Amino acid sequence: MLDVLPVFSGDVRITRLFTLIPGSDFGTDAFSAIDALGGRTVPWSEACDDSYDLIVAASPKGDLRLLRGPRVLVPHGAGFNKTIRSEGSAHAASGLDPAYLRRAHDHAPAALHALAHPEQVTRLATADPRAARRAKVIGDLTLERVLASAPLRERYRAALGTGARELLVLASTWGPESLIRRHPGLPAQLAAHLPYDEYQLALVIHPNERSSLGKYELAERLAPALDAGMVLPDPHEEWASTLIAGDALVTDHGSAALYYCAARDRPVVSVHPGGGELIPGSPMGVLLDRIPRLESTGNIAENIADALRAYRPGPGHAAAQAAFAPVSDAMDRLRREVYALLGLAPPGHDVTPRLLPSPVPAPRVPAAFDVHVVTGAAGVRITRHPAGTGPPGHHLAVEHGAASERLARSAGLLFRRPLPPSAAPVDLAWTADGWTRYALSAYPGCRSAAAVLPDGACLLRMRGHERAYSVRAEPRSASGRVTRIDPAIGLSAVHAGLTSHEPAADGRTTLNCLVGERTFHITLRPATNAEAEQVI
């Protein structure tokens, strides 16, 4: 509805009211979404007592016939891909079920059945020939928003904190065959096995599943993955901007995958075995038949990587073409139709798809990492995993002031980032050298202590070494783009190097730090007095 209603934008003759048809198991959050926007809602009992110039609905289900006024039916989701066995007619596509279409039609036929593809008109004619007479191919307004917002991809990735990492999105529909029901441990498995500095994980989950569980219960069930940095975007708009930001998708049979494929042909893998709710020959059926399938969740990271490598461009584009046509002007088409039903001339100004908002999911940033180190001829390879999600590594790197005292006391490398400016009338702060000396004294199990300086360089002091060191990870520049690493990664590389080798006599060393496919140069030298006295 929120993608459709902007066709009336700027028209002072139109008043928009919202009501919810009783009977849904998932209506709890619907009014919350409207309330968050400041929309005016009307109780169902009151809505049935009045008459309206136009009624816009996204489903023929429920007692829609009790509302008085010409009706416009618009589909929700991309295509008609699922059959819901617990309701309506057996094997009928949800949204095209003759049991609901005919009941509504017998009372008062829909004035317009807006569809996204000519094939959908054919399917509607099979389900209810009378309803098909009032059907028109309008297009998909959600798709128009996705395509219009595609140039904002880098902005969305910045909001998510993705950086140069690969963003792997899990897309789950609702119900017993959904990813989140069939593979509830998959998010935590991926979060534990995928290197934190190379991959970011996001879960796009159907609003019905959120409504069924509640935000708190869902967050508690997903806590291991969320604590490891997984993103859980808002289900009403941010899901779409997260798909635009994504580099690869793991999907069940939910239609969110089709919007992902329509935006750009990027790798997609399936965790749905086929059959069940999935309708053969539907757009999602077309997609899932042609993309790699994750057969096992045993060695999850390796299996996902193999499946993504096996993807070849083409299936995503073909599935999107089966779901969406035409791919532009849907808003203008719908605007002409609904204003004709109202008997009004549209306003003189143009309406365009509203750009999707940036995600604001506030992902949790791990404050402690098991750091795995492999030293070779090319340099020191650093692979970090959130602490406790897998086997211990070469050392435990912990951010002091952000992790628990238990983790701090177990750290091999303890580091501190600059604090935000204080509003205290009389402030108290550490110098970089003062804090590193304090940390080595207060935490006897700590081998190295480091302070990240405001300019991104670090001051590191190692137990048993007389001097403090300046550590800087140099940015990597290629094709006009600059890639930087978290200073804590460079600290782990230097910590590993100093643990096994003494520095050069003058204390100056350059080492290569390998993170995924990238190599960064780390410079190590004796710290200056000015660096040691910097306030952190």
Side-chain angles (χ1 to χ4, degrees), residues 147-171:
L147 296 179
S149 303
L152 279 67
R153 172 175 160 83
E154 288 195 16
R155 182 182 295 271
Y156 299 151
R157 290 173 67 86
L160 291 166
T162 306
R165 295 181 292 175
E166 297 285 308
L167 176 56
L168 178 61
V169 182
L170 307 181

Side-chain angles (χ1 to χ4, degrees), residues 73 75 79-80 95-96 101 112-139 322-323 325-326:
L73 279 176
F80 300 93
L96 293 179
L101 291 170
L112 171 65
H113 206 126
L115 296 170
H117 194 283
E119 187 269 343
Q120 295 173 6
V121 179
T122 303
R123 293 177 67 183
L124 178 61
T126 302
D128 187 348
R130 293 177 298 173
R133 297 189 195 112
R134 298 176 184 268
K136 291 189 177 180
V137 178
I138 299 296

Side-chain angles (χ1 to χ4, degrees), residues 261-479:
C261 292
R264 190 171 173 182
D265 197 348
R266 296 189 178 98
V268 191
V269 300
S270 165
V271 291
H272 192 269
E277 296 175 346
L278 180 66
I279 296 176
S282 65
M284 276 306 297
V286 170
L287 178 66
L288 298 184
D289 282 345
R290 302 182 185 181
I291 62 175
R293 181 176 298 161
L294 187 64
E295 300 291 351
S296 167
T297 57
N299 188 342
I300 190 65
E302 184 176 332
N303 290 343
I304 287 283
D306 289 345
L308 291 173
R309 280 194 293 268
Y311 180 82
R312 295 292 179 267
H317 180 69
Q321 284 190 318
F324 308 115
V327 294
S328 62
D329 301 326
M331 183 167 281
D332 288 337
R333 292 168 187 262
L334 184 60
R335 193 187 196 206
R336 288 194 296 269
E337 295 293 337
V338 295
Y339 271 95
L341 292 173
L342 289 167
L344 296 174
H349 62 271
D350 293 332
V351 292
T352 57
R354 292 179 181 169
L355 299 180
L356 293 162
S358 291
V360 285
R364 303 172 193 173
V365 178
F369 291 93
D370 283 311
V371 183
H372 297 261
V373 177
V374 177
T375 302
V380 179
R381 176 169 296 280
I382 298 295
T383 305
R384 301 192 303 170
H385 295 274
T389 60
H394 174 275
H395 63 271
L396 179 67
V398 177
E399 181 182 350
H400 188 267
S404 70
E405 182 70 3
R406 180 184 64 83
L407 286 170
R409 294 209 168 273
S410 302
L413 166 65
L414 193 63
F415 64 94
R416 173 186 169 118
R417 299 185 192 274
L419 294 177
S422 171
V426 181
D427 195 17
L428 183 67
W430 285 103
T431 65
D433 190 54
W435 185 82
T436 56
R437 289 179 183 275
Y438 157 77
L440 290 176
S441 173
Y443 296 92
C446 174
R447 188 80 180 271
S448 297
V452 179
L453 304 179
D455 67 353
C458 303
L459 184 129
L460 180 140
R461 185 171 286 280
M462 191 163 197
R463 194 178 298 280
H465 288 228
E466 193 172 319
R467 56 192 166 191
Y469 300 97
S470 171
V471 178
R472 182 181 292 273
E474 301 296 338
R476 174 188 167 102
S477 181
S479 303

Side-chain angles (χ1 to χ4, degrees), residues 19 21-22 44 48 55-69 71-73 100 103-104 107-108 110:
T19 193
I21 301 173
W44 176 251
C48 292
I55 298 163
V56 184
S59 171
K61 298 176 183 179
D63 286 328
L64 184 62
R65 57 191 174 83
L66 298 182
L67 295 177
R68 296 196 296 272
R71 293 198 308 277
V72 173
L73 279 176
Y100 296 108
R103 182 172 65 180
H107 182 79

Side-chain angles (χ1 to χ4, degrees), residues 43-57:
W44 176 251
S45 58
E46 292 182 23
C48 292
D49 290 338
D50 210 339
S51 60
Y52 303 91
D53 297 300
L54 195 68
I55 298 163
V56 184

Side-chain angles (χ1 to χ4, degrees), residues 3-25:
D3 293 337
V4 168
L5 290 179
V7 299
F8 303 110
S9 177
D11 193 337
V12 298
R13 301 168 295 177
I14 303 295
T15 299
R16 287 145 282 260
L17 304 174
F18 298 86
T19 193
L20 183 66
I21 301 173
S24 172
D25 294 331

Side-chain angles (χ1 to χ4, degrees), residues 50-234:
D50 210 339
S51 60
Y52 303 91
D53 297 300
L54 195 68
I55 298 163
V56 184
S59 171
K61 298 176 183 179
D63 286 328
L64 184 62
R65 57 191 174 83
L66 298 182
L67 295 177
R68 296 196 296 272
R71 293 198 308 277
V72 173
L73 279 176
V74 295
H76 69 274
F80 300 93
N81 305 293
K82 293 169 61 176
T83 179
I84 309 301
R85 298 174 182 175
S86 60
E87 57 185 34
S89 307
H91 309 299
S94 181
L96 293 179
D97 192 329
Y100 296 108
L101 291 170
R102 290 169 186 165
R103 182 172 65 180
H105 189 90
D106 290 343
H107 182 79
L112 171 65
H113 206 126
L115 296 170
H117 194 283
E119 187 269 343
Q120 295 173 6
V121 179
T122 303
R123 293 177 67 183
L124 178 61
T126 302
D128 187 348
R130 293 177 298 173
R133 297 189 195 112
R134 298 176 184 268
K136 291 189 177 180
V137 178
I138 299 296
D140 188 291
L141 275 73
T142 301
L143 174 65
E144 285 206 343
R145 291 191 74 190
V146 169
L147 296 179
S149 303
L152 279 67
R153 172 175 160 83
E154 288 195 16
R155 182 182 295 271
Y156 299 151
R157 290 173 67 86
L160 291 166
T162 306
R165 295 181 292 175
E166 297 285 308
L167 176 56
L168 178 61
V169 182
L170 307 181
S172 176
T173 186
W174 63 281
E177 296 184 18
S178 65
L179 180 153
I180 201 64
R181 296 282 191 93
R182 279 188 162 167
H183 306 287
L186 182 58
Q189 285 180 281
L190 285 170
H193 285 84
L194 295 176
Y196 180 82
D197 301 310
E198 299 171 47
Y199 292 91
Q200 185 183 34
L201 195 62
L203 174 61
V204 167
I205 192 167
H206 196 284
N208 282 4
E209 205 66 45
R210 286 204 184 213
S211 182
S212 175
L213 292 173
K215 183 178 179 180
Y216 172 79
E217 178 64 23
L218 180 63
E220 287 301 301
R221 292 189 181 196
L222 295 172
L226 294 173
D227 289 343
M230 186 181 77
V231 173
L232 187 65
D234 179 86

